[in-house]
Amino acid sequence: MLLQITFSSLLVAALAAGSSQLADLEPRDNSAQCDCYVVSGKEPGYFQYHRFLDFRSITASDADNFNTPPPLITAAENQGGQNLTSTYFNTTAFSADWFITNKVERTNVPVSLVNSVQNVFISSGLDGSNSTYLALRVSRLDQFASGSEIDSYQQNILHGSFRARMRVIPNFDNASSPFVDNGVSTANIPGINASHPVAPGGCLGFFTYHSDTEESDIEILTLDPLTDIRYSNQPDYDAQTGNTIPGASTDAVMPNNIIWTDWHDHRVDWFDGMSRWYVDDQLVLEKTFHVPTKPSSVVLNLWSDGGNWSGNMTVGSQIVAGVQWIEMAFNTSGKNPMKRDSGSCNIGCTIDNVTTTGSPEVAFNATISARNAATTLNVRGDMTLLLALTFWAILTYGWLMIV
Ligand SMILES: *[C@@H]1O[C@H](CO)[C@@H](O)[C@H](O)[C@H]1NC(C)=O
Ligand SMILES: *[C@@H]1O[C@H](CO)[C@@H](O)[C@H](O)[C@H]1NC(C)=O
Ligand SMILES: *[C@@H]1O[C@H](CO)[C@@H](O)[C@H](O)[C@H]1NC(C)=O
Ligand SMILES: *[C@@H]1O[C@H](CO)[C@@H](O)[C@H](O)[C@H]1NC(C)=O
Ligand SMILES: *[C@@H]1O[C@H](CO)[C@@H](O)[C@H](O)[C@H]1NC(C)=O
Ligand SMILES: *[C@@H]1O[C@H](CO)[C@@H](O)[C@H](O)[C@H]1NC(C)=O
Ligand SMILES: *[C@@H]1O[C@H](CO)[C@@H](O)[C@H](O)[C@H]1NC(C)=O
Ligand SMILES: *[C@@H]1O[C@H](CO)[C@@H](O)[C@H](O)[C@H]1NC(C)=O
Ligand SMILES: *[C@@H]1O[C@H](CO)[C@@H](O)[C@H](O)[C@H]1NC(C)=O
Ligand SMILES: *[C@@H]1O[C@H](CO)[C@@H](O)[C@H](O)[C@H]1NC(C)=O
């Protein structure tokens, strides 16, 4: 009896020590009860980390105006270096994990690309709703394209499941529009019409990135039909010959008449030797060709460089994409300040098919109950711990006998 009590109290101490590993959790990770994360799909296994970045109900500060987009970048602002458009981007919810690029990005291309924080803003009022979203913008000036990009600080991501609920927003002219009136009528932009209400020449990308040859992409090309999406493991062309590499990139048609001007959940899963792409949890493509192997970051961007991939935007045209949330479950390589060091998973949570997107739900609970501690430890073959426990228990028992 006494022995059992000793085991129980030891186990409570062990469990308490285990939960302190969750100390790295922040409000942006709605999963204090979870040790690890499982995702839907064919691959077994779990990921150690989870992040959910929700842009749907951001509160405007006095300095913010979510109904008016920031001014377009001017011809003179060709080096990046503008100011953040909202205090939100200074809050931990965003800035602990992400930064916005603000610099000349590419010059060895037909049309230089300069990224600006001014093209990343919080907007609201879309479709008559007052819920907020993250807006990314690219606009075409005579001498360059002014684009947008957010990057994860985490650069040692190795495998994971990455999702973004996003859309490209049609160029309409009502009050809720996130477009700036720059005097260029959509009627004068070739490629915009009722069935393709977006300026061609831009690329909305959501991808893992290590280098141009270690990268797994979801890309929406605005020159494509609204039903098409590009899934690639880079490189998709041979840098020496300029030829495309067969199998690297796929022009997929999304199922169920899904179009990229509507909100949908876009997802890429990166496992050892396998990439899988999904829309709204429907598997669209699997690829084993050139799956990345190197620790990576995650990037979300909207760009144009006049090259053969994005095509050219007409001078004066704008493209705006909306993002409602980003969710990621992932593993990391090497040492990491956030790392939970247990290496085991007792409480596993699913991030799919949950009541509230972004709030993982318990899928299994292998936490050993105090009652079964001895047997469970035995079953686990954790002999060292068992011996230590026994030794300690006998000592305690003996001491109590003496008292
Ligand atoms: C993630 O990392 C944990 C701990 O190293 C490992 O047990 C698990 O198998 C990894 N998951 C995948 C899908 O590789
Ligand atoms: C949206 O409007 C409703 C009704 O006016 C209000 O209760 C809610 O707080 C608003 N939400 C945001 C994010 O502004
Ligand atoms: C950025 O903000 C500072 C302080 O308000 C202002 O002096 C500066 O002109 C701004 N820079 C740009 C590029 O707007
Ligand atoms: C964000 O923080 C920086 C550094 O503290 C500050 O200079 C800048 O004005 C802030 N911007 C906004 C929009 O809050
Ligand atoms: C703005 O126009 C779009 C496209 O015509 C329409 O779907 C949307 O409901 C309009 N929004 C408002 C607030 O009128
Ligand atoms: C609309 O524009 C797209 C190119 O963006 C073009 O392929 C399509 O034929 C056009 N449709 C009509 C009805 O003009
Ligand atoms: C885009 O336009 C530039 C000239 O402004 C040209 O050099 C380039 O070839 C064009 N790109 C495409 C894909 O046609
Ligand atoms: C772009 O496409 C054109 C026409 O097909 C081709 O001549 C050119 O070599 C391509 N450029 C690159 C960099 O692949
Ligand atoms: C999601 O949950 C519903 C209700 O529990 C279930 O019918 C459905 O099969 C689940 N879908 C997936 C993909 O797990
Ligand atoms: C997991 O199981 C343990 C032991 O039965 C229990 O104490 C704990 O509350 C459970 N945790 C969750 C999140 O279900």
Side-chain angles (χ1 to χ4, degrees), residues 42-94:
K42 295 179 205 165
E43 210 80 14
Y46 60 80
F47 297 111
Q48 289 184 290
Y49 303 100
H50 174 253
R51 284 287 179 267
F52 184 64
L53 185 57
D54 194 348
F55 302 110
R56 292 170 298 181
S57 50
I58 294 169
T59 308
S61 76
D62 291 345
D64 288 327
N65 178 352
F66 295 159
N67 300 315
T68 308
L72 291 172
I73 291 296
T74 63
E77 295 174 316
N78 60 3
Q79 299 295 311
Q82 286 70 45
N83 287 327
L84 292 177
T85 58
S86 164
T87 50
Y88 167 74
F89 299 111
N90 267 344
T91 62
T92 313
F94 183 85

Coordinates of all heavy atoms in Angstrom, one line a residue, residues 42-94:
K42 N -2.1 9.9 -45.6 CA -1.6 8.5 -45.5 C -0.4 8.3 -44.6 O -0.2 7.2 -44.2 CB -1.2 8.1 -46.9 CG -2.3 8.0 -47.9 CD -1.8 7.6 -49.3 CE -2.7 8.0 -50.4 NZ -2.0 8.0 -51.7
E43 N 0.3 9.4 -44.3 CA 1.6 9.3 -43.6 C 1.3 9.1 -42.1 O 0.7 9.9 -41.5 CB 2.4 10.5 -43.9 CG 3.9 10.3 -43.9 CD 4.4 9.7 -45.2 OE1 3.7 9.7 -46.2 OE2 5.5 9.2 -45.2
P44 N 1.9 8.1 -41.5 CA 1.8 8.0 -40.1 C 2.8 9.0 -39.4 O 3.6 9.6 -40.1 CB 2.3 6.5 -39.8 CG 3.2 6.2 -40.9 CD 2.8 7.0 -42.1
G45 N 2.8 9.0 -38.1 CA 3.7 9.9 -37.4 C 3.1 11.2 -37.0 O 2.0 11.5 -37.2
Y46 N 3.9 11.9 -36.2 CA 3.4 13.2 -35.6 C 4.5 14.2 -35.7 O 5.7 14.0 -36.0 CB 3.0 12.9 -34.2 CG 4.2 12.4 -33.3 CD1 5.1 13.4 -32.8 CD2 4.4 11.1 -33.0 CE1 6.2 13.0 -32.0 CE2 5.4 10.7 -32.2 CZ 6.3 11.6 -31.7 OH 7.3 11.2 -30.9
F47 N 4.0 15.5 -35.5 CA 4.9 16.6 -35.5 C 5.0 17.2 -34.1 O 4.0 17.1 -33.4 CB 4.5 17.7 -36.5 CG 4.5 17.2 -37.9 CD1 3.4 16.9 -38.6 CD2 5.7 16.9 -38.6 CE1 3.4 16.5 -39.9 CE2 5.8 16.4 -39.9 CZ 4.6 16.2 -40.5
Q48 N 6.1 17.8 -33.8 CA 6.3 18.3 -32.4 C 5.7 19.7 -32.2 O 5.5 20.1 -31.1 CB 7.8 18.3 -32.1 CG 8.4 17.0 -31.9 CD 9.8 17.1 -31.5 OE1 10.7 17.5 -32.3 NE2 10.1 16.7 -30.3
Y49 N 5.6 20.5 -33.2 CA 5.3 21.9 -33.0 C 4.0 22.3 -33.8 O 3.7 21.7 -34.9 CB 6.4 22.9 -33.5 CG 7.7 22.5 -32.7 CD1 8.7 21.8 -33.4 CD2 7.9 23.0 -31.4 CE1 9.9 21.4 -32.7 CE2 9.1 22.6 -30.8 CZ 10.0 21.9 -31.4 OH 11.2 21.6 -30.7
H50 N 3.4 23.3 -33.3 CA 2.1 23.8 -34.0 C 2.1 25.3 -33.9 O 2.5 25.9 -32.8 CB 0.9 23.2 -33.3 CG -0.4 23.8 -33.8 ND1 -1.2 24.7 -33.1 CD2 -1.0 23.6 -35.0 CE1 -2.2 25.0 -33.8 NE2 -2.2 24.3 -35.0
R51 N 1.7 26.0 -34.9 CA 1.5 27.4 -34.9 C 0.3 27.8 -35.7 O 0.0 27.2 -36.7 CB 2.7 28.1 -35.6 CG 3.9 28.2 -34.7 CD 3.7 29.2 -33.6 NE 4.9 29.3 -32.7 CZ 5.0 28.5 -31.6 NH1 4.1 27.7 -31.2 NH2 6.1 28.7 -30.8
F52 N -0.5 28.7 -35.1 CA -1.7 29.2 -35.8 C -1.7 30.7 -35.8 O -1.7 31.3 -34.7 CB -3.0 28.6 -35.2 CG -4.2 29.0 -35.9 CD1 -4.5 28.5 -37.2 CD2 -5.2 29.8 -35.3 CE1 -5.6 28.9 -37.8 CE2 -6.3 30.2 -35.9 CZ -6.6 29.7 -37.2
L53 N -1.7 31.3 -36.9 CA -1.7 32.7 -37.1 C -3.0 33.2 -37.7 O -3.3 32.9 -38.9 CB -0.5 33.1 -37.9 CG -0.2 34.6 -38.1 CD1 0.0 35.3 -36.8 CD2 1.1 34.8 -39.0
D54 N -3.8 33.8 -36.9 CA -5.2 34.1 -37.3 C -5.3 35.6 -37.6 O -5.1 36.5 -36.7 CB -6.2 33.7 -36.2 CG -7.6 33.7 -36.6 OD1 -7.9 34.2 -37.7 OD2 -8.4 33.1 -35.9
F55 N -5.7 36.0 -38.8 CA -5.9 37.4 -39.2 C -7.3 37.9 -39.2 O -7.6 39.0 -39.6 CB -5.3 37.6 -40.6 CG -3.8 37.2 -40.7 CD1 -3.5 36.1 -41.5 CD2 -2.8 37.9 -40.1 CE1 -2.2 35.7 -41.6 CE2 -1.5 37.6 -40.3 CZ -1.2 36.4 -41.0
R56 N -8.2 37.0 -38.7 CA -9.7 37.3 -39.0 C -10.3 38.3 -38.0 O -11.4 38.8 -38.4 CB -10.5 36.0 -39.0 CG -10.1 35.1 -40.2 CD -10.7 33.8 -40.0 NE -10.2 33.1 -38.9 CZ -10.6 31.9 -38.5 NH1 -11.5 31.2 -39.2 NH2 -10.1 31.3 -37.4
S57 N -9.8 38.5 -36.9 CA -10.4 39.5 -36.0 C -9.4 40.3 -35.3 O -9.3 40.4 -34.0 CB -11.3 38.7 -35.0 OG -10.6 37.7 -34.3
I58 N -8.6 41.0 -36.1 CA -7.6 41.9 -35.5 C -8.3 43.3 -35.2 O -9.1 43.8 -35.9 CB -6.5 42.1 -36.6 CG1 -5.7 40.8 -36.8 CG2 -5.5 43.2 -36.2 CD1 -4.8 40.8 -38.0
T59 N -8.0 43.7 -34.0 CA -8.5 45.0 -33.5 C -7.7 46.2 -34.0 O -6.5 46.2 -33.9 CB -8.6 45.0 -32.0 OG1 -9.2 43.8 -31.5 CG2 -9.3 46.2 -31.4
A60 N -8.4 47.1 -34.6 CA -7.7 48.3 -35.1 C -7.3 49.2 -33.9 O -8.0 49.5 -33.0 CB -8.6 49.1 -36.0
S61 N -6.0 49.6 -34.0 CA -5.6 50.6 -33.0 C -6.0 52.0 -33.5 O -6.5 52.1 -34.7 CB -4.1 50.6 -32.8 OG -3.4 51.2 -33.9
D62 N -5.8 53.1 -32.7 CA -6.2 54.4 -33.1 C -5.5 54.8 -34.4 O -6.1 55.5 -35.3 CB -5.9 55.4 -32.0 CG -6.8 55.2 -30.8 OD1 -7.8 54.5 -31.0 OD2 -6.4 55.8 -29.8
A63 N -4.3 54.3 -34.6 CA -3.5 54.7 -35.8 C -3.9 53.9 -37.1 O -3.5 54.2 -38.2 CB -2.0 54.5 -35.5
D64 N -4.7 52.8 -36.8 CA -5.0 51.9 -38.0 C -6.3 52.3 -38.7 O -7.3 52.8 -38.1 CB -5.2 50.5 -37.5 CG -3.9 49.8 -37.0 OD1 -2.9 50.1 -37.6 OD2 -4.0 49.0 -36.1
N65 N -6.3 52.1 -40.0 CA -7.5 52.2 -40.8 C -7.6 51.0 -41.7 O -6.9 51.0 -42.7 CB -7.5 53.5 -41.6 CG -8.7 53.7 -42.5 OD1 -9.5 52.8 -42.6 ND2 -8.9 54.8 -43.1
F66 N -8.4 50.1 -41.4 CA -8.4 48.8 -42.2 C -9.4 48.9 -43.4 O -9.5 48.0 -44.2 CB -8.9 47.7 -41.3 CG -7.9 47.3 -40.2 CD1 -8.4 46.6 -39.1 CD2 -6.6 47.7 -40.2 CE1 -7.5 46.2 -38.0 CE2 -5.7 47.3 -39.2 CZ -6.2 46.6 -38.1
N67 N -10.0 50.1 -43.5 CA -10.9 50.3 -44.7 C -10.3 50.9 -45.9 O -10.8 50.9 -47.0 CB -12.1 51.1 -44.3 CG -12.9 50.4 -43.1 OD1 -13.1 49.2 -43.2 ND2 -13.2 51.2 -42.1
T68 N -9.1 51.5 -45.7 CA -8.4 52.1 -46.7 C -7.0 51.5 -46.9 O -6.2 51.5 -46.0 CB -8.2 53.7 -46.4 OG1 -9.5 54.2 -46.1 CG2 -7.6 54.4 -47.6
P69 N -6.7 51.0 -48.1 CA -5.4 50.4 -48.3 C -4.3 51.4 -48.3 O -4.5 52.6 -48.6 CB -5.5 49.7 -49.7 CG -6.6 50.5 -50.4 CD -7.5 50.9 -49.3
P70 N -3.1 51.1 -47.9 CA -2.0 52.0 -47.9 C -1.7 52.5 -49.3 O -2.0 51.8 -50.3 CB -0.8 51.2 -47.4 CG -1.3 49.9 -47.0 CD -2.7 49.7 -47.4
P71 N -1.1 53.7 -49.5 CA -0.8 54.2 -50.8 C 0.0 53.2 -51.6 O 0.8 52.5 -51.0 CB -0.1 55.5 -50.6 CG -0.3 55.9 -49.1 CD -0.7 54.6 -48.4
L72 N -0.1 53.3 -52.9 CA 0.8 52.4 -53.7 C 2.2 53.0 -53.7 O 2.4 54.2 -53.5 CB 0.3 52.5 -55.2 CG -1.0 51.8 -55.5 CD1 -1.4 52.1 -57.0 CD2 -0.9 50.3 -55.3
I73 N 3.2 52.1 -53.8 CA 4.6 52.5 -53.9 C 4.7 53.4 -55.1 O 4.1 53.2 -56.2 CB 5.5 51.3 -53.9 CG1 5.4 50.5 -52.6 CG2 6.9 51.6 -54.4 CD1 6.0 51.3 -51.4
T74 N 5.6 54.5 -55.0 CA 5.8 55.4 -56.1 C 7.1 55.0 -56.8 O 7.9 54.3 -56.3 CB 5.9 56.8 -55.6 OG1 7.0 56.9 -54.7 CG2 4.6 57.2 -54.9
A75 N 7.3 55.6 -58.0 CA 8.5 55.3 -58.8 C 9.8 55.6 -58.0 O 10.8 54.9 -58.2 CB 8.4 56.1 -60.1
A76 N 9.7 56.7 -57.2 CA 10.9 57.0 -56.4 C 11.2 56.0 -55.3 O 12.4 56.0 -54.8 CB 10.7 58.4 -55.8
E77 N 10.2 55.3 -54.8 CA 10.4 54.4 -53.7 C 10.9 53.0 -54.2 O 10.2 52.0 -54.1 CB 9.1 54.3 -52.9 CG 8.7 55.6 -52.2 CD 7.3 55.5 -51.6 OE1 6.4 55.0 -52.2 OE2 7.2 56.0 -50.4
N78 N 12.0 53.0 -54.9 CA 12.5 51.8 -55.6 C 13.5 51.0 -54.8 O 14.2 50.1 -55.4 CB 13.0 52.2 -56.9 CG 14.2 53.1 -56.8 OD1 14.6 53.5 -55.7 ND2 14.7 53.6 -58.0
Q79 N 13.6 51.2 -53.5 CA 14.6 50.5 -52.7 C 14.0 49.7 -51.5 O 14.7 49.2 -50.7 CB 15.7 51.5 -52.2 CG 16.5 52.2 -53.2 CD 17.3 51.2 -54.1 OE1 18.0 50.4 -53.5 NE2 17.2 51.3 -55.4
G80 N 12.7 49.7 -51.4 CA 12.1 49.2 -50.1 C 12.3 50.2 -49.0 O 12.5 51.4 -49.3
G81 N 12.2 49.8 -47.8 CA 12.5 50.7 -46.7 C 11.4 51.5 -46.2 O 11.6 52.5 -45.6
Q82 N 10.1 51.1 -46.5 CA 9.0 51.9 -46.0 C 8.7 51.5 -44.6 O 9.4 50.6 -44.0 CB 7.8 51.7 -46.9 CG 7.9 52.4 -48.2 CD 8.9 51.8 -49.2 OE1 9.0 50.6 -49.3 NE2 9.8 52.7 -49.8
N83 N 7.6 52.0 -44.0 CA 7.2 51.7 -42.6 C 6.1 50.7 -42.6 O 5.3 50.6 -43.5 CB 6.7 53.0 -41.9 CG 7.8 54.0 -41.6 OD1 9.0 53.5 -41.3 ND2 7.6 55.3 -41.7
L84 N 6.0 50.0 -41.4 CA 4.9 49.0 -41.2 C 3.6 49.7 -41.4 O 3.5 50.9 -41.0 CB 5.0 48.4 -39.8 CG 6.2 47.5 -39.6 CD1 6.2 47.0 -38.1 CD2 6.2 46.3 -40.5
T85 N 2.6 49.0 -41.9 CA 1.3 49.7 -42.1 C 0.3 49.6 -41.0 O -0.7 50.3 -41.0 CB 0.6 49.1 -43.4 OG1 0.4 47.7 -43.1 CG2 1.4 49.3 -44.6
S86 N 0.7 48.8 -40.0 CA -0.2 48.6 -38.8 C 0.6 48.2 -37.6 O 1.5 47.5 -37.7 CB -1.3 47.6 -39.1 OG -1.9 47.2 -37.9
T87 N 0.1 48.7 -36.4 CA 0.7 48.2 -35.2 C 0.6 46.7 -35.0 O 1.4 46.1 -34.3 CB 0.0 48.9 -34.0 OG1 -1.4 48.7 -34.1 CG2 0.3 50.4 -34.0
Y88 N -0.4 46.1 -35.7 CA -0.5 44.7 -35.5 C 0.8 43.9 -35.8 O 1.2 43.0 -35.2 CB -1.6 44.1 -36.5 CG -1.6 42.6 -36.6 CD1 -2.0 41.8 -35.6 CD2 -1.0 42.0 -37.8 CE1 -1.9 40.4 -35.7 CE2 -0.9 40.6 -37.9 CZ -1.4 39.9 -36.8 OH -1.3 38.5 -36.9
F89 N 1.5 44.4 -36.8 CA 2.8 43.7 -37.3 C 3.9 43.8 -36.2 O 4.9 43.2 -36.3 CB 3.2 44.2 -38.6 CG 2.2 44.0 -39.7 CD1 1.5 45.0 -40.3 CD2 1.9 42.7 -40.1 CE1 0.6 44.8 -41.3 CE2 1.0 42.4 -41.1 CZ 0.3 43.5 -41.7
N90 N 3.7 44.7 -35.2 CA 4.6 44.8 -34.1 C 4.2 44.0 -32.9 O 4.9 43.9 -31.9 CB 4.7 46.3 -33.7 CG 5.8 47.1 -34.4 OD1 6.7 46.5 -34.9 ND2 5.8 48.4 -34.3
T91 N 3.0 43.4 -33.0 CA 2.6 42.6 -31.8 C 3.2 41.2 -31.9 O 3.5 40.7 -33.0 CB 1.0 42.4 -31.8 OG1 0.6 41.7 -33.0 CG2 0.3 43.8 -31.7
T92 N 3.4 40.6 -30.7 CA 4.0 39.3 -30.6 C 3.3 38.2 -31.5 O 3.9 37.4 -32.1 CB 4.0 38.8 -29.2 OG1 4.4 39.8 -28.4 CG2 4.9 37.6 -29.0
A93 N 1.9 38.3 -31.6 CA 1.2 37.4 -32.3 C 1.8 37.2 -33.7 O 1.9 36.1 -34.3 CB -0.3 37.8 -32.5
F94 N 2.2 38.3 -34.3 CA 2.8 38.2 -35.6 C 4.4 38.2 -35.6 O 5.0 37.3 -36.1 CB 2.4 39.4 -36.5 CG 2.9 39.4 -37.9 CD1 2.3 38.7 -38.9 CD2 4.1 40.1 -38.2 CE1 2.8 38.7 -40.2 CE2 4.6 40.0 -39.5 CZ 4.0 39.3 -40.5

